[in-house]
Amino acid sequence: MPSCPRCQQSVSATAIDCPTCRLPLKAHGHPGMPLHRSVGSVALCETCTYHFDDTCTFPQRPQAQTCTLYHDRRSQPQSPTYTIPWQRKYAGWIALAGLLVVSLVVSLLL
């Protein structure tokens, strides 16, 4: 059974707010949506995946102390970032330039 982050009393997993201190435990009263809270004065955004990849649209960003969309980026394994080499990125332009050079050389030789 989970406990209240404020008073540490046991609460039901479906409780919308703490029966002891009335702290909201679920976002907007929706039982299936957890409300994540920061520990101390550290903002949630500092460890959130959505802040890191710049897709967060939360108005309190980057100082949010509570958030419903928080996703800890440290909890998942870091996937390697693959960069596309410039040869593959511009392969079409390279092929076109090569074709132009070959056609220029052929036209000069004839």
Side-chain angles (χ1 to χ4, degrees), residues 90-101:
Y90 299 110
W93 289 107
I94 293 170
L96 182 63
L99 185 60
L100 286 173
V101 168

Side-chain angles (χ1 to χ4, degrees), residues 71-82:
H71 189 265
D72 191 355
R73 70 183 180 112
R74 299 172 296 179
S75 67
Q76 61 186 1
Q78 296 293 324
S79 61
T81 349
Y82 296 105

Side-chain angles (χ1 to χ4, degrees), residues 34-38 43-56 58 64 66-79:
L35 183 62
H36 300 278
R37 297 178 187 281
S38 65
L44 286 174
C45 299
E46 293 180 16
T47 57
C48 184
T49 302
Y50 303 117
H51 177 71
F52 182 71
D53 65 9
D54 204 28
T55 58
C56 179
F58 194 53
T66 61
C67 184
T68 57
L69 299 175
Y70 175 74
H71 189 265
D72 191 355
R73 70 183 180 112
R74 299 172 296 179
S75 67
Q76 61 186 1
Q78 296 293 324
S79 61

Side-chain angles (χ1 to χ4, degrees), residues 2-25:
S3 62
C4 174
R6 182 186 292 163
C7 67
Q8 306 303 322
Q9 295 295 319
S10 294
V11 292
S12 168
T14 59
I16 294 173
D17 55 6
C18 176
T20 307
C21 67
R22 295 290 173 212
L23 177 72
L25 301 172

